[in-house]
Amino acid sequence: MAMKEDCCAMQLIDHNSEFNAAGFNRFTEKVKLADHGLSYAVVAIMGPQSSGKSTLMNHLFHTNFREMDAYQGRNQTTKGVWLAKCVGIQPFTIAMDLEGTDGSERGQDDIAFEKQSALFALAISDIVIINMWCHDIGRENASNKPLLRTIWDGVQKPQAHESTLLNDIFNVQVVALPNYESEEEIFKEEVGQLRQRFPSYTSQGGLASDRIPASAFSFSAQDIWNVIKENRDLDLPNHKVMVATVRCKEIAAEKFNQLMQNKDWLAWVEAAKTSPVPGFGEKLTSILNTYLSEYDKEAMYFDEGVRNERKEELQLKALESVHVTYTTMLGHLSSKVLEEFKVRLEKSLKEGSFDSSVSASCIVSSMREFDQGCKDATMQNANWDSSSIRKILVCDIDAHALRVHDVKLSELKDKCEKQLSTSLTKQVEAHLEDGIEDVWASIRSVLHHHTEEAVSMLSTEIVAFNVDNKSIAKMEQDLRACARNVVEKIVRDKTGSNFDAHETPVGNLFEIVFFYDRDNNPRAWTKKKVVRAATKDAYSASLKVLSVMAAICLDDGTPNNIEKSLFSSLMDETKAAKDPLGSSTWEGVSPKDTVITPVRCKSLWENFKLETRNHVTQATSARDTAKKHWLAKFAIALTAGVASAIVGAPIAEAL
C-alpha cells in the first residue's frame, strides 16, 4: 500500500515573532521546493480567532494544521505563522496559517503582530484568504476592516498609484461556505468544489506574479519578515471615522432589514418571479427611496465620506437583492417576446408568400417590445445590464427567422427541382424510346430548355428571400447540376445491371424496323432479299440505339466513335485485326460519362442476337411457305396451259 503524502507542517514564525530560519530550510529541503523553479504558489489565510481558519485549510489543501476543539471553548489555537505543503494540488503549493486576529492573548502586542503577519502574508503569497463568520460581517475588528484599510488606504503609494483602488491590483472574490460544526458534510462537499478551482487561481500568478525562483524563497521570506518587523509606525483609522463607520453601517443594516420585510416590496418581487410585472422598476424604486431618505435623516451628522459610502452600499445591496428577480423576469419577458414573434411571423406568412422584409419587420417589432420591457423593469440608479439576455433573444429570434427562411427557400428549391425532373423525365425517356436520329442533340435541346425555364422561375421567386448574388449563383448551379443528374439517372436506370437489350428501346426498334416497312405497313415475307434487308435494317437501327445509350453526351462539341466502333465490330463482316470492343473504355469518352462499356456492349449484343433470332427464323419460314405456295400454283398453271400468265415476273426473282 502506498504511503500517504506528508504535508510536512512546521511553525515558521513563533509566538514571539521569531522567524524559524533553520526549520524553514529543513522544510524546503524535505518538500524539494527548489526543484519547482517558478512553478509553485503560496496560499495564506487570516481572520478572526476561532473562525475556523485551520479547519478550512486542512479540508481545502489536505494539511494537518492544529484545529480548535469546540467543546473546550473558543480560544487561540494557531500561534504565530505555520506552513504546510498542500497535498494533491498542482502546481506545487504551500499553505500558510496565520494566528487569529481580534484575540486577547497577546494584549497590547496583538494589533502590531496582526499587521505584521498580514503584511508578510500579502508580500509572499499568491492568494490570501480572509476568513470570517457571517455574523462577523460588519464588525470593525472581527471583519479585519481596520487592518485591511491600513494595509491599503493608509499605505504610502507612488504618485502614479495614489488613486489606485484595491480591485485594480488584487482580484477579490467572495465565497460563502456552510458552518462546519452544523453542516459538516455540506461544508466538505463545497470545500471540495472550491479546491478544484485553486489550480486556475494559482496558475495566473496572483499577488506574487513577479515571484522569485523557489530556491531563493526561504531567504526572501526571512528578509521580508525582518523588514516588516522593524517598521512599527502603522496608524489605525482615527476614532471619528471608526465611529461613523460602525454607526452608519448599523443604520444601513437596519434600513435594509426593514426593506426586506416590506410587504409591498416582497409582493412585487414574488410576482416578478413568474411573469413580467408592469412598472416593476418604478414601483420598487419608490419603496427603496423611502428607506434611503430615512437613512439620510438618521446619518446626517456623521462623517460625510463614510455616510455616503454606507448609503451607496445600502442602495447597492438593495439592488443586488432583486437583481436575480430582475434577471428572472427578463427571462420570462424574453420567452414571451420570442413566442409572440413566432406567432406574428407565421401569421404574416399565411397571409402571403414568404418575403424577407416581412421577417425583418417582425424582428424590429419584437425587439422594440423587449427593450421597452427592460426599461420598465429597471430600477433607478441600477447599473443592470440586460445585454446578455437581449443577445440570447436576438440569437433565438434570428435563428427561428433563419430556420423559416431556410425552410421556405428549400421548398422553393424542391419545387423547381421537382418541376424540372418531371418535365425532363417524360421527354428524355420518349426520345430514348423513339430511337430517333441524333438522340443526344434532341436531349440536349430539351435539357437546355427546361433548365433555363427552371432557373428563370428560381430567379423570379428568390428575390423575396433577399439572398446574396453568390448564393443565388450557387443555387442556379445546383439546379443545372440537378437537371444533368436527372438525365444521367434516366439513362443509367435504363441500362442497369438487369439491362436486357431485347426489352428496351433497342429491342422495340428492332421489331418495328423488322416487321414494318418505311410506310409503316406490315412486311410481306415473299422474297429472300426482303428478309435479308429487313434483318440488316433492324439490327442497324438497334445498334444505333445501343450506341446512344452506351455513353452520356450532354456537352456540345464532344463527338465520340461509339457508333463507328460498334458497327465495325458487330455489323462489318470483314473483321478488323484488333477488336475495338475488347476494352473497358470508349475512345474519347470520360469514365464518368460511360454507361455501358465496350465489353458489356458486345456481350449484350450477342445475347440480343440470340433473342431476336426467332424473328428472323419465323420470317424465313414464312418466305419459304410463300415460295412453296407459289410453286404449287405455277405447276397447276403449266398443266392447264396458262403458264404465260404466271411468268409475269422472272422466276429467279421469286426464288
Side-chain angles (χ1 to χ4, degrees), residues 339-381:
E339 293 306 314
E340 290 178 351
F341 167 77
K342 293 179 180 178
V343 173
R344 185 182 296 118
L345 181 59
E346 184 66 25
K347 181 180 179 182
S348 299
L349 293 177
K350 286 183 178 179
E351 294 174 352
S353 59
F354 181 86
D355 193 321
S356 294
S357 62
V358 174
S359 177
S361 177
C362 292
I363 292 175
V364 170
S365 299
S366 296
M367 294 314 302
R368 187 184 299 119
E369 178 184 345
F370 177 79
D371 290 339
Q372 182 58 45
C374 290
K375 182 179 179 181
D376 188 60
T378 303
M379 293 179 63
Q380 183 180 348
N381 298 324

Side-chain angles (χ1 to χ4, degrees), residues 285-550:
T285 297
S286 177
I287 297 173
L288 174 58
N289 285 341
T290 299
Y291 290 96
L292 291 177
S293 297
E294 292 179 1
Y295 170 86
D296 287 337
K297 292 178 182 178
E298 296 185 30
M300 62 183 300
Y301 297 111
F302 291 102
D303 179 84
E304 182 179 3
V306 175
R307 180 177 74 233
N308 292 338
E309 183 180 352
R310 297 289 88 77
K311 180 181 179 180
E312 290 178 4
E313 291 178 356
L314 169 59
Q315 185 177 42
L316 179 60
K317 191 175 181 180
L319 294 175
E320 288 179 345
S321 71
V322 292
H323 182 258
V324 173
T325 303
Y326 163 82
T327 303
T328 301
M329 185 169 63
L330 291 196
H332 296 314
L333 175 63
S334 175
S335 299
K336 177 174 174 288
V337 170
L338 177 59
E339 293 306 314
E340 290 178 351
F341 167 77
K342 293 179 180 178
V343 173
R344 185 182 296 118
L345 181 59
E346 184 66 25
K347 181 180 179 182
S348 299
L349 293 177
K350 286 183 178 179
E351 294 174 352
S353 59
F354 181 86
D355 193 321
S356 294
S357 62
V358 174
S359 177
S361 177
C362 292
I363 292 175
V364 170
S365 299
S366 296
M367 294 314 302
R368 187 184 299 119
E369 178 184 345
F370 177 79
D371 290 339
Q372 182 58 45
C374 290
K375 182 179 179 181
D376 188 60
T378 303
M379 293 179 63
Q380 183 180 348
N381 298 324
N383 189 24
W384 291 341
D385 184 9
S386 62
S387 61
S388 59
I389 298 178
R390 190 183 196 280
K391 184 177 180 180
I392 294 174
L393 175 60
V394 170
C395 290
D396 290 342
I397 286 180
D398 286 347
H400 181 76
L402 182 60
R403 284 195 295 270
V404 173
H405 176 278
D406 290 347
V407 168
K408 296 300 180 181
L409 192 60
S410 178
E411 290 176 355
L412 172 60
K413 180 181 178 183
D414 291 344
K415 182 178 74 171
C416 293
E417 291 182 353
K418 184 177 181 181
Q419 180 175 319
L420 181 60
S421 177
T422 301
S423 302
L424 285 174
T425 300
K426 183 177 180 180
Q427 293 195 26
V428 171
E429 287 183 346
H431 283 308
L432 289 174
E433 291 173 0
D434 289 346
I436 61 175
E437 291 290 336
D438 205 357
V439 172
W440 280 111
S442 300
I443 291 177
R444 286 194 294 269
S445 177
V446 169
L447 173 63
H448 175 77
H449 171 73
H450 289 294
T451 300
E452 294 308 313
E453 191 176 64
V455 168
S456 177
M457 180 176 70
L458 174 68
S459 300
T460 300
E461 297 190 23
I462 205 173
V463 173
F465 289 84
N466 193 27
V467 180
D468 61 89
N469 292 334
K470 184 177 180 180
S471 298
I472 294 176
K474 177 63 167 57
M475 292 184 66
E476 292 179 354
Q477 181 182 352
D478 291 344
L479 198 56
R480 297 181 191 278
C482 171
R484 290 181 67 98
N485 290 337
V486 168
V487 175
E488 292 179 3
K489 185 176 185 301
I490 293 172
V491 177
R492 295 186 187 281
D493 285 348
K494 288 184 173 296
T495 57
S497 58
N498 296 324
F499 177 74
D500 185 348
H502 187 261
E503 298 179 358
T504 65
V506 178
N508 295 339
L509 189 60
F510 176 88
E511 293 181 358
I512 292 173
V513 175
F514 186 77
F515 289 110
Y516 297 89
D517 60 20
R518 295 181 182 276
D519 297 326
N520 216 23
N521 296 317
R523 294 184 186 276
W525 308 112
T526 58
K527 302 175 183 179
K528 184 176 182 180
K529 67 177 182 179
V530 173
V531 177
R532 186 183 300 112
T535 302
K536 182 178 181 181
D537 290 346
Y539 277 133
S540 296
S542 298
L543 202 58
K544 285 185 178 181
V545 176
L546 183 61
S547 69
V548 168
M549 302 179 71

